[in-house]
Amino acid sequence: MTEIVAVNKVQAAVLRFVAWLDRYGETSYDHQSYFASDLGRSAKALYYRHRLLGTLAVSPMIFSEAFVPGARRLFWKRQRFPIADAHYAMGFAFLSRVLGEEQYYRRAVHFLEVLKESRCPGYERYCWGYPFSWETRTGTMKEGTPLVTTVPYVYEAFREVYQIDRDQKWLEIMQSIAQHALLDYRDSATSPNASTCSYNPDPNDQGGVINASAYRAFLLTRAAVDFSEDKYLKVAERNLNFVLESQNQDGSWYYSTDGQRDFVDHFHTCFVLKALAKIELLTGNGECTKAIQRGVRYYVENLFSKDGLPKPFSHRPRLTVYRCELYDCAECINLAVLLRGRFSALDDFLLVVVNRDEWQKPDGSFRSRQLLIGWDNTPMHRWAQSQMFRSLCFLLFQDKQSDKLERVSQEQTV
């Protein structure tokens, strides 16, 4: 009875969210809205070059984020985000299969059509990135630069809809995305059997970001199975080995192996573990299994607070102005559903996160962050309204699949 009530509760939350999305629209402000303008990027660049002066320059944005988060609208504009569109496409595809309603399938197709139009210009193959320029430690990443951390989600979005309608045009785009992932990123050897991949197609990008290689390893493994192409698998295996070899003795992963970004946070840990779980499911790789076991042990022991909610960092890179954020909750659900039934502590945390009603506002949207004082209630599609929607729809879909398997098993027993 408890499980049925939980599923009904999740379904009701999802439908409230859909009604909110219809009213609010498909553009939003973002976590990076503070730093998307020329002024914001200049302040962030100064922070990277001169920590003291840069801290003074970014302090108004940090203060606003901590105490007046709604003021981000003064810094930048509402935009559409491809990574969010991909999550919405997947969520609606799952929902259409759970409820059997045509309207949700059509909504999923709508987001795919939007993604076709928002691909990065100037590239032969289908690819996506951010709709704003992003200041990094090494310079400005221009708007429309493909990102290996975005592209796999779009591939999955097209694939989920293809599972429903078998439309060949989706398959052709999937193949183009796979070719982009194979050919347009740089690999740098880190051992005889491993390579790190670049974050974007910049030939000067040396790689080292662990979740980037995990994403690419998964995407190319998925494509190898989907298209029966060993060429994808050969590259995927080297990226996978980089991820496996980069795992720390305690089971954690730093954000990067560059010796500078050695923080450990919640959602990047989830990204890595999700990729390993998906690769393990596709290939049965025993090394993935071992890494998952060590990684989940670290994850449940170090990345949750006493109240059972996700903790942003176990290793902080800087002072944080919030207690918990929606992105961490969404990725916790995604990971826990993928690994459901294998780790009792993770199953327990799943129930805690799903059952915290205060995260959904009366209008149906989700709160973005629990701040040190109060909440950030600014709805941001990329951070992480879409991720939470997708994770809850995925939970409903997996529960329905489990029910089907259980019914089949009972019928066979009879």
Side-chain angles (χ1 to χ4, degrees):
M1 178 62 71
T2 302
E3 287 294 327
I4 294 173
V5 171
V7 168
N8 290 340
K9 180 179 177 180
V10 170
Q11 182 173 312
V14 165
L15 295 180
R16 286 197 300 273
F17 179 85
V18 171
W20 168 82
L21 182 61
D22 289 340
R23 297 190 304 271
Y24 185 81
E26 297 170 6
T27 63
S28 73
Y29 297 102
D30 188 64
H31 169 62
Q32 290 289 345
S33 290
Y34 288 108
F35 301 102
S37 67
D38 291 342
L39 180 62
R41 290 200 311 277
S42 297
K44 194 174 180 184
L46 183 60
Y47 176 81
Y48 286 137
R49 294 196 310 270
H50 303 288
R51 186 58 58 93
L52 180 58
L53 291 176
T55 298
L56 293 174
V58 301
S59 58
M61 292 84 155
I62 302 302
F63 177 87
S64 175
E65 188 175 24
F67 298 106
V68 198
R72 58 172 40 89
R73 61 175 55 89
L74 302 176
F75 293 84
W76 195 235
K77 59 191 176 183
R78 284 175 57 152
Q79 291 181 289
R80 178 182 287 282
F81 300 92
I83 193 170
D85 290 332
H87 278 82
Y88 282 135
M90 283 187 278
F92 280 111
F94 289 136
L95 196 57
S96 73
R97 296 174 75 177
V98 170
L99 300 181
E101 295 187 22
E102 178 79 9
Q103 60 173 318
Y104 299 124
Y105 160 74
R106 291 199 303 270
R107 195 69 179 274
V109 170
H110 158 73
F111 281 104
L112 295 194
E113 295 293 348
V114 168
L115 284 164
K116 284 172 60 180
E117 298 303 317
S118 64
R119 60 184 288 195
C120 293
Y123 287 85
E124 177 186 351
R125 292 168 280 271
Y126 277 84
C127 52
W128 293 263
Y130 290 156
F132 54 82
S133 295
W134 180 25
E135 199 64 34
T136 72
R137 300 168 66 93
T138 58
T140 303
M141 192 180 299
K142 295 295 185 182
E143 170 189 348
T145 300
L147 301 176
V148 76
T149 53
T150 293
V151 170
Y153 289 117
V154 185
Y155 182 94
E156 287 186 289
F158 280 97
R159 189 178 187 279
E160 288 302 332
V161 176
Y162 177 72
Q163 296 303 303
I164 298 172
D165 61 17
R166 297 292 170 176
D167 192 322
Q168 287 298 303
K169 66 184 177 184
W170 310 139
L171 193 66
E172 290 170 5
I173 293 174
M174 288 163 54
Q175 194 155 26
S176 177
I177 296 171
Q179 286 290 99
H180 162 74
L182 178 69
L183 300 173
D184 293 341
Y185 296 87
R186 172 178 176 170
D187 280 296
S188 301
T190 56
S191 78
N193 299 312
S195 295
T196 175
C197 78
S198 59
Y199 202 92
N200 62 52
D202 183 349
N204 296 316
D205 188 328
Q206 299 296 315
V209 176
I210 294 168
N211 78 93
S213 290
Y215 272 123
R216 187 167 180 244
F218 157 67
L219 172 52
L220 293 179
T221 302
R222 177 75 268 177
V225 174
D226 288 342
F227 299 107
S228 302
E229 287 277 7
D230 287 343
K231 63 182 181 182
Y232 296 126
L233 201 56
K234 290 176 182 177
V235 176
E237 286 174 347
R238 291 192 63 86
N239 287 163
L240 171 61
N241 288 338
F242 166 73
V243 175
L244 297 175
E245 292 174 7
S246 299
Q247 189 173 26
N248 298 319
Q249 287 295 318
D250 62 6
S252 68
W253 285 272
Y254 294 137
Y255 176 77
S256 175
T257 58
D258 61 8
Q260 298 178 359
R261 293 169 289 179
D262 59 351
F263 61 87
V264 180
D265 72 340
H266 197 105
F267 64 82
H268 285 109
T269 298
C270 288
F271 293 162
V272 174
L273 284 168
K274 281 195 313 178
L276 294 181
K278 293 174 183 178
I279 293 170
E280 178 197 41
L281 184 63
L282 290 169
T283 66
N285 187 312
E287 295 304 311
C288 278
T289 304
K290 295 175 186 176
I292 291 167
Q293 291 169 344
R294 293 194 300 270
V296 169
R297 187 181 306 116
Y298 178 89
Y299 175 67
V300 299
E301 292 176 358
N302 295 277
L303 283 164
F304 289 88
S305 301
K306 292 181 180 179
D307 62 0
L309 286 177
K311 187 166 67 174
F313 294 95
S314 57
H315 245 278
R316 294 176 185 269
R318 60 187 178 276
L319 177 67
T320 51
V321 297
Y322 54 93
R323 300 179 187 277
C324 184
E325 69 175 326
L326 184 65
Y327 213 142
D328 293 341
C329 294
E331 291 306 330
C332 169
I333 295 170
N334 277 322
L335 177 63
V337 172
L338 277 172
L339 298 175
R340 206 169 184 184
R342 292 174 59 177
F343 304 96
S344 59
L346 188 55
D347 291 340
D348 291 341
F349 284 128
L350 173 63
L351 291 176
V352 171
V353 173
V354 168
N355 286 316
R356 293 298 288 261
D357 296 333
E358 69 268 27
W359 281 86
Q360 189 167 37
K361 292 157 54 183
D363 67 1
S365 66
F366 297 103
R367 304 181 192 276
S368 297
R369 278 179 171 170
Q370 183 183 21
L371 303 172
L372 299 179
I373 301 174
W375 295 86
D376 180 347
N377 289 318
T378 307
M380 297 178 281
H381 289 314
R382 186 181 77 94
W383 208 276
Q385 302 290 323
S386 64
Q387 286 86 351
M388 179 57 80
F389 171 68
R390 188 261 185 208
S391 72
L392 294 177
C393 291
F394 182 49
L395 172 59
L396 292 174
F397 175 70
Q398 290 295 89
D399 273 350
K400 182 170 183 178
Q401 296 300 104
S402 296
D403 287 345
K404 284 183 178 179
L405 289 174
E406 185 176 344
R407 285 196 298 271
V408 169
S409 176
Q410 290 174 347
E411 290 169 1
Q412 290 176 341
T413 301
V414 172

